[in-house]
Amino acid sequence: MNLDLFRAYWVLAMRLKSLRNVAALALVLLLAACGDNGESSLGGAIDFEPNRPTLGKETAAAPAYSGNNPLVQEAAERFRTGSDLHRKVIIRTCGPNGGVCHNQKEYPDLRTPGSFLATINAPCNVQPGDFSSVDDRCELLGDRFKFDNQGFKEIEIGHLQYIAGEHEDYKDGNKPDASSPGLHVHLREAVPLDREQLHAGGQFIRTFVNDQQIVEDLTFATFGSRWWILEGGKHLVAEVRSYQVDRINELLAVGIIQGDVNRNSVFGARASKPVPLIKPGKPEESYLVGRLRGLMGGEEVPGSRMPLANQPLTIPEMLALFCFIEGLPANGSHPSMSDAIDYKSCSYTADPESLNLLGAGVTWKGRVSKIFQANCSGCHGGSEPPEGLDLRNDEAYGQLFELSKQKPELRLIEAGEPEASYLWLKLIGDESITGYPMPYNPLTGEGKLREGELGDVQTWIVNGAILDE
Ligand code: HEC
C-alpha cells in the first residue's frame, strides 16, 4: 500500500471525533475495498479489526406487558430480549442457509448480536453491488474535489467510476467520452475552467471535526494526471496509465464519499436528512425497517424488499423489532442484547396490526402457501386428503376457490371476503362450521394458527387472495 495514502488514512482516522466514526470510516474503507459497484477490482485493502461493541452480560428487567392483545403477548413470550430478536428473527430472515445473505461483505453485517448492534446509527445502504438500488436518503454529504493551483472553490463529488482499460492517446480533436477508460469524476457543479484539458493534481477533500471541536478541511488524497473536462465541466476524466493503476485502486480503497451514489442527480444528504440503519427510538426512521416494509415516510424505498428469500416478518416479529428500536437509548449508547425488550411502554403495542407487512404484497406464493405447508400438509396431503383438500404445495392454489365439501353454499376462499370464506371460518373456529377448527389437533380437538399467521391469511383474503405479484 502506498505510504502517503496510508498516512492520509491515519491522519483522517485520528482526527475523527469519536471512536464510532473511526469504526464507521473503517467500514466504509472495507466496503470500498470490497468493490466499487463491481466496476473495478480493487487492490489495496486496508486491514482492520472491526470495532464491535461488547455485549453486556447482565439482564435488565423490564416491566411485564399487562395488556391482553394476543399479538403483543405472543411477541413478549417469544422475543423477550434483543438476543431473542436477533436469533429468532434477524438470523431467520438472513437467507435459507443461516445467514448467507448478510455477512461482512454484504452490508449490513447482521450475523452476530454484536454486528446487529453495530447497525445503530450506522449509515445505511453503503453496499457494494447495484448502485441504482441505493436510496437517496442513504446518501451522505460527498467529499469534495478541486485541482492544485486553480482558484475555484471545492465542488462536491457526485459519483466516481473507474473504468479499467488500455490508456488511449487522444489526438486530432479526439477526447474521452462516458465509456472511455480512466477515472471518471462526476461533480455537483461544473468546474469553472474554460478549457478542455489540463495536467494537474486532483485533490480529494473532506471536512472533519477534530478533538478540539475545530472543523478542518483535509486533502486526504490526490491524483496527478492529464484531466479532461467534459459536459460543460461537471464530468472530469483522468487518464490512468498502467503504472498508475495501483495508485487508483488505493485511492478508491480509501472510500471517497459520493454525494450521489445512485447517480440520479439527487444529492440525498442535501435533499433530506440521511437515514441510519437503526435510529434509536425511531423505528420508522430506520432504514432497516424501511427495507422490510418497502416504504419509509410514505415514500417507496428502492431495491428489493427484505428478506429476499424468506417469509416476511409476522406481526409479532415486527412488533419485537419496533419495540426493541423504540426502547434503544437515545444517546446512541449500545444496550445489552440480553436486556428485556420493554413491551409495556412500547407505543406500537397499541395497534400491532398496523405493523402488518402484508398489507401490500401478501401473496399465496410469497407467504400463505408456506403457512399451509407447515401447518396443514401433514393431513391435507397423500392419496386421500380429508375432504379431498390437498394443501401440500403451491399448486393447491387452484383448489381454494372451489365449493366447500362441508358447506357447499360457501367457497373455501371468497376473494375479498374472509367471512364468506369457509376455510377462514374453519381457521377461526367459527360457530357455523362442521367438524373441527383447523389446523385440527387430534389430542385436544382444537387447533389454531398463531395470531401473526392468522392475520396474514386474513389480509391475504381481504386483498384478493392473489397468487403472486
Ligand atoms: C391433524 C390433521 C389435520 C390438520 C393438521 C389440518 N386438517 Fe383440515 N381437515 C382435517 C380433517 C380430518 C377434516 C375433515 C373433518 C373436519 O372438518 O373436522 C378437515 C377439513 C378441512 C376443511 C374443510 C374442507 C371442505 O371442503 O369443507 C378445511 C377448509 C381444512 N380442513 C383446512 C385446513 C387448513 C387450512 C389447515 C392448516 C391450517 C388444516 N386443515 C389442517 C384434518 C386436518
Side-chain angles (χ1 to χ4, degrees):
M1 134 149 297
N2 176 304
L3 246 172
D4 281 350
L5 233 115
F6 187 68
R7 208 172 295 127
Y9 162 64
W10 278 114
V11 172
L12 232 152
M14 292 351 286
R15 292 192 188 198
L16 279 171
K17 215 164 97 189
S18 71
L19 260 183
R20 168 93 48 73
N21 285 348
V22 176
L25 174 73
L27 203 89
V28 170
L29 291 169
L30 179 77
L31 290 165
C34 288
D36 177 50
N37 306 328
E39 274 155 1
S40 51
S41 73
L42 303 173
I46 297 168
D47 293 331
F48 83 103
E49 275 297 314
N51 198 336
R52 295 240 161 90
T54 47
L55 305 175
K57 287 267 183 296
E58 68 289 2
T59 301
Y65 170 72
S66 51
N68 55 9
N69 186 312
L71 292 164
V72 186
Q73 285 167 344
E74 185 181 336
E77 205 168 289
R78 293 177 56 217
F79 315 113
R80 230 174 41 78
T81 63
S83 300
D84 290 342
L85 171 69
H86 180 260
R87 191 161 41 85
K88 297 183 185 165
V89 182
I90 308 295
I91 293 284
R92 165 178 90 67
T93 58
C94 240
N97 307 325
V100 285
C101 67
H102 287 274
N103 53 37
Q104 75 273 48
K105 286 218 182 97
E106 205 154 330
Y107 188 80
D109 179 351
L110 299 171
R111 284 169 313 163
T112 65
S115 56
F116 177 55
L117 276 187
T119 61
I120 295 170
N121 281 328
C124 63
N125 223 333
V126 194
Q127 61 199 10
D130 181 11
F131 64 80
S132 65
S133 73
V134 172
D135 192 321
D136 285 330
R137 286 167 289 199
C138 297
E139 289 172 347
L140 305 172
L141 212 54
D143 289 330
R144 299 184 307 280
F145 181 88
K146 77 190 265 284
F147 287 121
D148 292 341
N149 307 320
Q150 297 287 338
F152 67 86
K153 69 173 174 32
E154 307 146 7
I155 301 173
E156 185 177 350
I157 296 168
H159 72 269
L160 292 173
Q161 186 183 16
Y162 171 48
I163 301 181
E166 199 64 39
H167 163 74
E168 201 179 311
D169 261 328
Y170 299 102
K171 285 196 192 108
D172 308 325
N174 277 340
K175 54 181 181 181
D177 58 32
S179 56
S180 301
L183 176 68
H184 294 248
V185 180
H186 295 263
L187 299 174
R188 183 155 174 264
E189 289 156 40
V191 295
L193 293 177
D194 191 17
R195 54 205 286 188
E196 218 167 37
Q197 47 161 291
L198 74 166
H199 280 274
Q203 300 185 9
F204 296 85
I205 301 151
R206 188 175 298 175
T207 304
F208 298 96
V209 182
N210 73 12
D211 294 342
Q212 285 84 48
Q213 303 296 309
I214 295 168
V215 178
E216 289 186 290
D217 288 338
L218 186 73
T219 298
F220 61 90
T222 54
F223 184 69
S225 180
R226 174 150 73 152
W227 290 82
W228 290 86
I229 302 173
L230 309 178
E231 296 173 40
K234 282 189 163 189
H235 177 183
L236 311 175
V237 186
E239 295 181 5
V240 180
R241 320 258 159 166
S242 51
Y243 68 88
Q244 292 173 305
V245 169
D246 286 351
R247 177 94 183 104
I248 282 291
N249 284 333
E250 285 162 7
L251 181 77
L252 295 176
V254 169
I256 294 166
I257 302 175
Q258 308 171 70
D260 181 23
V261 181
N262 61 18
R263 310 182 185 180
N264 68 354
S265 302
V266 176
F267 284 66
R270 293 180 182 276
S272 62
K273 277 208 204 119
V275 202
L277 279 168
I278 286 188
K279 183 163 178 181
K282 303 267 187 243
E284 295 179 59
E285 294 168 35
S286 300
Y287 180 75
L288 216 61
V289 172
R291 264 321 261 277
L292 290 170
R293 297 176 129 181
L295 271 181
M296 194 167 30
E299 278 172 55
E300 234 171 87
V301 176
S304 10
R305 252 169 89 174
M306 297 290 146
L308 257 189
N310 278 288
Q311 291 190 17
L313 273 59
T314 62
I315 295 176
E317 289 174 333
M318 285 294 276
L319 194 62
L321 180 62
F322 272 65
C323 293
F324 172 78
I325 297 177
E326 196 179 64
L328 287 171
N331 63 8
S333 69
H334 291 123
S336 157
M337 286 291 274
S338 47
D339 285 354
I341 297 175
D342 184 356
Y343 291 96
K344 185 162 189 182
S345 39
C346 173
S347 68
Y348 293 93
T349 57
D351 182 17
E353 290 287 349
S354 67
L355 302 182
N356 196 338
L357 273 182
L358 302 161
V362 53
T363 64
W364 169 257
K365 283 201 172 155
R367 177 129 186 88
V368 180
S369 73
K370 298 188 179 88
I371 296 177
F372 287 3
Q373 273 164 34
N375 294 284
C376 323
S377 64
C379 300
H380 290 274
S383 53
E384 281 190 273
E387 312 289 19
L389 181 58
D390 188 338
L391 295 172
R392 266 177 304 182
N393 51 35
D394 282 358
E395 276 67 68
Y397 183 75
Q399 285 183 64
L400 296 175
F401 301 93
E402 289 172 14
L403 299 175
S404 150
K405 298 272 169 19
Q406 294 179 351
K407 199 169 193 187
E409 62 269 36
L410 293 183
R411 282 179 215 287
L412 291 174
I413 298 289
E414 191 68 61
E417 295 181 62
E419 304 306 319
S421 301
Y422 189 67
L423 186 146
W424 171 253
L425 299 176
K426 289 286 270 184
L427 289 179
I428 58 171
D430 190 79
E431 286 172 4
S432 68
I433 59 168
T434 305
Y436 293 102
M438 294 292 138
Y440 176 54
N441 180 335
L443 293 178
T444 61
E446 311 247 321
K448 206 156 194 200
L449 292 176
R450 295 208 313 259
E451 289 296 329
E453 293 169 325
L454 270 180
D456 293 342
V457 176
Q458 186 180 30
T459 316
W460 170 68
I461 300 175
V462 169
N463 288 339
I466 54 175
L467 175 64
D468 209 349
E469 269 178 319

Short mmCIF file of all heavy atoms in Angstrom, two decimals, residues 255-297:
data_model
loop_
_atom_site.label_atom_id
_atom_site.label_comp_id
_atom_site.label_asym_id
_atom_site.label_seq_id
_atom_site.Cartn_x
_atom_site.Cartn_y
_atom_site.Cartn_z
N GLY A 255 -12.23 4.97 0.19
CA GLY A 255 -13.65 5.15 0.44
C GLY A 255 -14.09 6.59 0.29
O GLY A 255 -14.61 7.20 1.23
N ILE A 256 -13.85 7.14 -0.86
CA ILE A 256 -14.29 8.51 -1.13
C ILE A 256 -15.81 8.55 -1.03
O ILE A 256 -16.50 7.70 -1.59
CB ILE A 256 -13.80 8.94 -2.53
CG1 ILE A 256 -12.27 9.01 -2.50
CG2 ILE A 256 -14.42 10.27 -2.95
CD1 ILE A 256 -11.63 9.10 -3.85
N ILE A 257 -16.33 9.50 -0.28
CA ILE A 257 -17.78 9.58 -0.11
C ILE A 257 -18.41 10.26 -1.31
O ILE A 257 -18.03 11.38 -1.68
CB ILE A 257 -18.15 10.33 1.19
CG1 ILE A 257 -17.52 9.62 2.39
CG2 ILE A 257 -19.68 10.40 1.35
CD1 ILE A 257 -17.73 10.35 3.70
N GLN A 258 -19.35 9.57 -1.93
CA GLN A 258 -20.01 10.10 -3.11
C GLN A 258 -21.39 10.64 -2.71
O GLN A 258 -22.17 9.96 -2.08
CB GLN A 258 -20.18 8.98 -4.14
CG GLN A 258 -18.87 8.25 -4.44
CD GLN A 258 -19.07 7.02 -5.30
OE1 GLN A 258 -19.39 7.12 -6.49
NE2 GLN A 258 -18.91 5.85 -4.71
N GLY A 259 -21.63 11.88 -3.08
CA GLY A 259 -22.88 12.52 -2.67
C GLY A 259 -24.10 12.05 -3.46
O GLY A 259 -25.23 12.25 -3.04
N ASP A 260 -23.85 11.41 -4.60
CA ASP A 260 -24.95 10.93 -5.43
C ASP A 260 -24.63 9.50 -5.87
O ASP A 260 -24.47 9.22 -7.05
CB ASP A 260 -25.13 11.86 -6.64
CG ASP A 260 -26.28 11.44 -7.56
OD1 ASP A 260 -27.20 10.74 -7.08
OD2 ASP A 260 -26.25 11.81 -8.75
N VAL A 261 -24.56 8.61 -4.88
CA VAL A 261 -24.13 7.24 -5.15
C VAL A 261 -24.99 6.59 -6.24
O VAL A 261 -24.49 5.88 -7.10
CB VAL A 261 -24.24 6.38 -3.86
CG1 VAL A 261 -23.77 4.97 -4.12
CG2 VAL A 261 -23.43 7.01 -2.74
N ASN A 262 -26.28 6.84 -6.19
CA ASN A 262 -27.17 6.15 -7.13
C ASN A 262 -27.28 6.86 -8.49
O ASN A 262 -28.02 6.42 -9.37
CB ASN A 262 -28.56 5.95 -6.51
CG ASN A 262 -29.22 7.28 -6.16
OD1 ASN A 262 -28.82 8.33 -6.64
ND2 ASN A 262 -30.22 7.22 -5.31
N ARG A 263 -26.55 7.95 -8.64
CA ARG A 263 -26.38 8.61 -9.93
C ARG A 263 -27.69 9.15 -10.52
O ARG A 263 -27.86 9.17 -11.74
CB ARG A 263 -25.70 7.67 -10.94
CG ARG A 263 -24.46 7.04 -10.35
CD ARG A 263 -23.73 6.15 -11.31
NE ARG A 263 -22.61 5.48 -10.63
CZ ARG A 263 -21.78 4.64 -11.20
NH1 ARG A 263 -21.93 4.34 -12.47
NH2 ARG A 263 -20.80 4.10 -10.52
N ASN A 264 -28.62 9.53 -9.67
CA ASN A 264 -29.89 10.04 -10.20
C ASN A 264 -29.96 11.56 -10.14
O ASN A 264 -31.03 12.15 -10.27
CB ASN A 264 -31.07 9.41 -9.44
CG ASN A 264 -31.14 9.90 -8.00
OD1 ASN A 264 -30.25 10.61 -7.53
ND2 ASN A 264 -32.19 9.53 -7.29
N SER A 265 -28.83 12.19 -9.87
CA SER A 265 -28.71 13.65 -9.81
C SER A 265 -29.35 14.27 -8.57
O SER A 265 -29.38 15.49 -8.45
CB SER A 265 -29.30 14.33 -11.05
OG SER A 265 -28.64 13.86 -12.18
N VAL A 266 -29.89 13.44 -7.68
CA VAL A 266 -30.35 13.97 -6.40
C VAL A 266 -29.25 13.73 -5.38
O VAL A 266 -28.81 12.59 -5.21
CB VAL A 266 -31.65 13.27 -5.93
CG1 VAL A 266 -32.06 13.76 -4.54
CG2 VAL A 266 -32.76 13.49 -6.93
N PHE A 267 -28.79 14.79 -4.73
CA PHE A 267 -27.78 14.65 -3.69
C PHE A 267 -28.53 14.48 -2.37
O PHE A 267 -28.97 15.45 -1.77
CB PHE A 267 -26.84 15.85 -3.67
CG PHE A 267 -25.84 15.80 -4.81
CD1 PHE A 267 -26.26 15.91 -6.12
CD2 PHE A 267 -24.50 15.60 -4.55
CE1 PHE A 267 -25.34 15.83 -7.16
CE2 PHE A 267 -23.58 15.52 -5.58
CZ PHE A 267 -24.00 15.63 -6.90
N GLY A 268 -28.67 13.20 -1.96
CA GLY A 268 -29.58 12.85 -0.87
C GLY A 268 -29.36 13.64 0.40
O GLY A 268 -30.30 14.12 1.01
N ALA A 269 -28.10 13.78 0.81
CA ALA A 269 -27.83 14.44 2.08
C ALA A 269 -28.27 15.89 2.05
O ALA A 269 -28.57 16.48 3.07
CB ALA A 269 -26.35 14.35 2.42
N ARG A 270 -28.32 16.47 0.86
CA ARG A 270 -28.74 17.87 0.77
C ARG A 270 -30.26 17.96 0.62
O ARG A 270 -30.88 18.92 1.05
CB ARG A 270 -28.07 18.54 -0.42
CG ARG A 270 -26.59 18.67 -0.22
CD ARG A 270 -25.94 19.33 -1.41
NE ARG A 270 -24.52 19.42 -1.22
CZ ARG A 270 -23.92 20.38 -0.54
NH1 ARG A 270 -24.63 21.32 0.01
NH2 ARG A 270 -22.61 20.38 -0.42
N ALA A 271 -30.84 16.93 -0.01
CA ALA A 271 -32.28 16.96 -0.25
C ALA A 271 -33.06 16.65 1.02
O ALA A 271 -34.14 17.15 1.24
CB ALA A 271 -32.65 15.97 -1.34
N SER A 272 -32.51 15.79 1.88
CA SER A 272 -33.20 15.44 3.12
C SER A 272 -32.14 14.94 4.09
O SER A 272 -30.98 14.86 3.76
CB SER A 272 -34.23 14.36 2.88
OG SER A 272 -33.59 13.19 2.41
N LYS A 273 -32.59 14.58 5.28
CA LYS A 273 -31.63 14.07 6.26
C LYS A 273 -31.27 12.63 5.96
O LYS A 273 -32.15 11.83 5.67
CB LYS A 273 -32.27 14.11 7.65
CG LYS A 273 -32.19 15.44 8.32
CD LYS A 273 -32.20 15.21 9.84
CE LYS A 273 -32.69 16.43 10.57
NZ LYS A 273 -33.89 16.18 11.36
N PRO A 274 -30.00 12.26 6.07
CA PRO A 274 -29.64 10.86 5.85
C PRO A 274 -30.29 9.97 6.92
O PRO A 274 -30.49 10.41 8.04
CB PRO A 274 -28.12 10.83 6.00
CG PRO A 274 -27.67 12.24 6.06
CD PRO A 274 -28.85 13.10 6.38
N VAL A 275 -30.62 8.77 6.53
CA VAL A 275 -31.27 7.84 7.46
C VAL A 275 -30.26 6.80 7.92
O VAL A 275 -29.58 6.21 7.09
CB VAL A 275 -32.39 7.06 6.73
CG1 VAL A 275 -33.40 6.53 7.70
CG2 VAL A 275 -33.04 7.93 5.70
N PRO A 276 -30.17 6.54 9.21
CA PRO A 276 -29.28 5.47 9.65
C PRO A 276 -29.97 4.11 9.54
O PRO A 276 -31.19 4.04 9.37
CB PRO A 276 -29.04 5.81 11.13
CG PRO A 276 -30.26 6.55 11.55
CD PRO A 276 -30.82 7.23 10.31
N LEU A 277 -29.19 3.06 9.61
CA LEU A 277 -29.77 1.71 9.57
C LEU A 277 -30.76 1.54 10.70
O LEU A 277 -31.88 1.12 10.48
CB LEU A 277 -28.65 0.67 9.70
CG LEU A 277 -27.90 0.38 8.42
CD1 LEU A 277 -26.65 -0.42 8.73
CD2 LEU A 277 -28.77 -0.38 7.45
N ILE A 278 -30.32 1.83 11.90
CA ILE A 278 -31.23 1.81 13.04
C ILE A 278 -31.11 3.13 13.77
O ILE A 278 -30.01 3.54 14.16
CB ILE A 278 -30.92 0.65 14.00
CG1 ILE A 278 -31.37 -0.66 13.38
CG2 ILE A 278 -31.63 0.85 15.34
CD1 ILE A 278 -31.29 -1.85 14.29
N LYS A 279 -32.22 3.82 13.91
CA LYS A 279 -32.21 5.08 14.63
C LYS A 279 -32.86 4.86 16.00
O LYS A 279 -34.04 4.56 16.08
CB LYS A 279 -33.00 6.12 13.84
CG LYS A 279 -32.99 7.48 14.48
CD LYS A 279 -33.42 8.53 13.48
CE LYS A 279 -33.45 9.89 14.15
NZ LYS A 279 -33.89 10.92 13.22
N PRO A 280 -32.08 5.00 17.07
CA PRO A 280 -32.61 4.71 18.40
C PRO A 280 -33.91 5.48 18.65
O PRO A 280 -33.98 6.68 18.38
CB PRO A 280 -31.51 5.20 19.35
CG PRO A 280 -30.28 5.19 18.54
CD PRO A 280 -30.70 5.48 17.12
N GLY A 281 -34.91 4.78 19.12
CA GLY A 281 -36.18 5.42 19.45
C GLY A 281 -37.12 5.58 18.28
O GLY A 281 -38.29 5.88 18.45
N LYS A 282 -36.61 5.44 17.04
CA LYS A 282 -37.43 5.78 15.87
C LYS A 282 -37.42 4.67 14.81
O LYS A 282 -36.75 4.79 13.78
CB LYS A 282 -36.89 7.05 15.21
CG LYS A 282 -36.84 8.25 16.13
CD LYS A 282 -38.11 9.05 16.01
CE LYS A 282 -38.01 10.34 16.79
NZ LYS A 282 -38.96 10.46 17.87
N PRO A 283 -38.19 3.62 15.05
CA PRO A 283 -38.20 2.53 14.07
C PRO A 283 -38.58 3.01 12.67
O PRO A 283 -38.04 2.53 11.68
CB PRO A 283 -39.23 1.54 14.61
CG PRO A 283 -39.78 2.12 15.86
CD PRO A 283 -39.03 3.34 16.22
N GLU A 284 -39.52 3.97 12.61
CA GLU A 284 -39.98 4.36 11.28
C GLU A 284 -38.99 5.24 10.53
O GLU A 284 -39.17 5.52 9.36
CB GLU A 284 -41.34 5.03 11.39
CG GLU A 284 -42.33 3.99 11.90
CD GLU A 284 -43.73 4.48 12.09
OE1 GLU A 284 -44.30 4.93 11.09
OE2 GLU A 284 -44.24 4.40 13.22
N GLU A 285 -37.95 5.66 11.23
CA GLU A 285 -36.90 6.41 10.55
C GLU A 285 -35.64 5.57 10.43
O GLU A 285 -34.55 6.08 10.24
CB GLU A 285 -36.62 7.71 11.31
CG GLU A 285 -37.81 8.66 11.26
CD GLU A 285 -37.67 9.81 12.25
OE1 GLU A 285 -36.53 10.27 12.46
OE2 GLU A 285 -38.69 10.23 12.81
N SER A 286 -35.81 4.27 10.58
CA SER A 286 -34.68 3.35 10.48
C SER A 286 -34.73 2.64 9.13
O SER A 286 -35.74 2.04 8.77
CB SER A 286 -34.73 2.30 11.60
OG SER A 286 -34.67 2.93 12.86
N TYR A 287 -33.63 2.71 8.42
CA TYR A 287 -33.61 2.17 7.06
C TYR A 287 -33.88 0.66 7.02
O TYR A 287 -34.53 0.15 6.12
CB TYR A 287 -32.26 2.49 6.42
CG TYR A 287 -32.14 1.98 5.01
CD1 TYR A 287 -32.79 2.60 3.96
CD2 TYR A 287 -31.37 0.85 4.73
CE1 TYR A 287 -32.69 2.13 2.68
CE2 TYR A 287 -31.27 0.36 3.45
CZ TYR A 287 -31.93 1.01 2.42
OH TYR A 287 -31.82 0.53 1.15
N LEU A 288 -33.38 -0.02 8.03
CA LEU A 288 -33.59 -1.47 8.11
C LEU A 288 -35.08 -1.80 8.07
O LEU A 288 -35.52 -2.72 7.38
CB LEU A 288 -33.00 -1.98 9.43
CG LEU A 288 -32.35 -3.33 9.44
CD1 LEU A 288 -31.16 -3.38 8.50
CD2 LEU A 288 -31.89 -3.66 10.86
N VAL A 289 -35.86 -1.03 8.81
CA VAL A 289 -37.30 -1.22 8.84
C VAL A 289 -37.91 -0.82 7.49
O VAL A 289 -38.79 -1.50 6.97
CB VAL A 289 -37.93 -0.41 10.00
CG1 VAL A 289 -39.45 -0.44 9.91
CG2 VAL A 289 -37.46 -0.95 11.33
N GLY A 290 -37.39 0.26 6.93
CA GLY A 290 -37.87 0.71 5.62
C GLY A 290 -37.69 -0.37 4.57
O GLY A 290 -38.54 -0.58 3.71
N ARG A 291 -36.57 -1.08 4.65
CA ARG A 291 -36.31 -2.14 3.67
C ARG A 291 -37.26 -3.32 3.85
O ARG A 291 -37.61 -4.01 2.89
CB ARG A 291 -34.88 -2.65 3.79
CG ARG A 291 -33.87 -2.05 2.84
CD ARG A 291 -34.36 -1.80 1.46
NE ARG A 291 -34.00 -2.83 0.49
CZ ARG A 291 -32.85 -2.89 -0.14
NH1 ARG A 291 -31.90 -2.02 0.08
NH2 ARG A 291 -32.61 -3.85 -1.00
N LEU A 292 -37.68 -3.56 5.09
CA LEU A 292 -38.64 -4.63 5.33
C LEU A 292 -40.01 -4.26 4.79
O LEU A 292 -40.74 -5.09 4.27
CB LEU A 292 -38.77 -4.90 6.83
CG LEU A 292 -37.58 -5.53 7.53
CD1 LEU A 292 -37.79 -5.48 9.03
CD2 LEU A 292 -37.40 -6.96 7.08
N ARG A 293 -40.35 -2.99 4.95
CA ARG A 293 -41.69 -2.56 4.56
C ARG A 293 -41.77 -2.12 3.11
O ARG A 293 -42.85 -2.03 2.55
CB ARG A 293 -42.11 -1.37 5.41
CG ARG A 293 -42.21 -1.67 6.87
CD ARG A 293 -42.55 -0.41 7.61
NE ARG A 293 -43.69 -0.59 8.48
CZ ARG A 293 -44.19 0.37 9.23
NH1 ARG A 293 -43.68 1.57 9.19
NH2 ARG A 293 -45.22 0.13 10.00
N GLY A 294 -40.63 -1.79 2.51
CA GLY A 294 -40.65 -1.26 1.16
C GLY A 294 -41.12 0.18 1.12
O GLY A 294 -41.29 0.77 0.07
N LEU A 295 -41.30 0.76 2.28
CA LEU A 295 -41.80 2.13 2.39
C LEU A 295 -41.14 2.81 3.58
O LEU A 295 -40.87 2.18 4.58
CB LEU A 295 -43.30 2.10 2.71
CG LEU A 295 -44.33 2.06 1.62
CD1 LEU A 295 -45.70 2.06 2.24
CD2 LEU A 295 -44.18 3.22 0.64
N MET A 296 -40.91 4.09 3.45
CA MET A 296 -40.42 4.86 4.59
C MET A 296 -40.91 6.29 4.43
O MET A 296 -40.76 6.87 3.36
CB MET A 296 -38.89 4.81 4.65
CG MET A 296 -38.33 5.27 5.97
SD MET A 296 -36.56 4.88 6.18
CE MET A 296 -35.94 4.90 4.54
N GLY A 297 -41.50 6.83 5.48
CA GLY A 297 -42.04 8.18 5.41
C GLY A 297 -42.99 8.36 4.23
O GLY A 297 -43.01 9.41 3.60
#
